Amino acid sequence: MPSAVPNIKPWTRPAPTQEPLDYAELARIDLAKWPEKKSELVEDLRYAVNEVGFWIVENTGISDDEVRRQHAIGDAFLDLPLEEKRKHPCDFANGNFFGFREGFRVMGKSGVKDNSEALCLPKLVPSLQHEWPAYDFLDPFVDEIATFQRKVHSRVLDPLLRLFALLLELPEDYFAKAHGWERPTEDHLRYMRYIPNSQEVDAKLEDKQYLNGHTDFGIVTLLFAQIVQGLQILTSDGEWKHVPYVPDSIVVNTADILSFATAGWLKSTIHRVIRPPEDQAHVPRLGLFYFSRAAHDWPTGIVAPSPVLERLGLYKAEEQPKEPVSGLEFTRARVKHSWDRPVYGDDEYNKGFVLKGLEVKTHYATAA
């Protein structure tokens, strides 16, 4: 039983940057249209995923008070002593991303240690109960964390999964049913914080990158509006552009599973994190995410048979794998490859890997 909820410090957003950054133009998906204007939303999504890759959703029904409360919980946890946070570390040797991740990796050839840390919490459902990191600190907050997770799933993820299916001219519940709330997946809520570095330290990093160009592992990543700059996307023109802060929104990017499912028609968005502008560089960069990962039994491969992909010549039944990689196998292998290593961005990481014939790319310096 959760204990009495203690008082924690409210989280207040830092001031926005005043520097004139080169921002990407993001598409917008207005979930106030769901479900009455599905066909209009499908066309909005078609533009968002094919022309932009990163986009925002608005009018989700999740209040700013709820979002800031989750930031406050994450901030309070990450303020705990390191020895306390280390009690339930991510098991990267087995590709498990649930628990606490400290900044242990050295970034490439810089000699600089990763300046980020995170807590990743699985869905609070019976099938994943054994994965929950049993911190005493979290006990009083379990109910509100679970409520928030479920709200994100029902108000944001479920409509998006249904829109993806409709975009592919598949039954509306094609993705949503397989990735329902109760289903075992590697989905997780993440509190993540970048700790400021000095200019001298960041100058040692290639392009002042805190996280090199990469794609995400799952279906989509949901990032609640981030006011401290640093996130950049790689445009189709091969330019890195900043993601703007849009109040009361969620930034969404498509990830590897959707790319595999559509033979690359829906691209897995390439992005990176760099040092914030100087008027924000002294501020801890706290982020709140929801990562949607493939269901454990999801067959990683082209969805069968999408009329859209058939018309484009992307779906050929005879080319489908006889033993497809499952969602659990792929996610655990991807996590292990990226995180079970002392150096991030070394040659072994950059060359990617192959799993049951599935070629997985892990490093992107350009769009090529």
Side-chain angles (χ1 to χ4, degrees), residues 274-309:
I274 66 169
R275 176 181 171 87
E278 291 311 308
D279 59 355
Q280 292 184 321
H282 64 287
V283 179
R285 186 174 180 272
L286 182 67
L288 177 65
F289 300 79
Y290 187 91
F291 287 84
S292 169
R293 300 260 170 92
H296 286 181
D297 58 358
W298 178 260
T300 299
I302 299 177
V303 293
S306 161
V308 173
L309 301 182

Side-chain angles (χ1 to χ4, degrees), residues 8-9 11 68-79 119 121 137-138 141 144-145 191 286:
I8 57 173
K9 181 176 65 176
W11 182 77
R68 286 187 290 108
R69 173 63 174 175
Q70 289 301 312
H71 276 87
I73 294 171
D75 206 30
F77 174 86
L78 294 171
D79 278 343
L119 175 66
L121 300 177
F137 171 86
L138 291 178
F141 304 105
E144 57 184 306
I145 290 171
Y191 311 113
L286 182 67

Side-chain angles (χ1 to χ4, degrees), residues 18 79 81 166 168 195 203 209 319:
Q18 298 303 308
D79 278 343
L166 293 173
L168 291 162
I195 301 165
Q209 292 180 125
E319 295 180 1

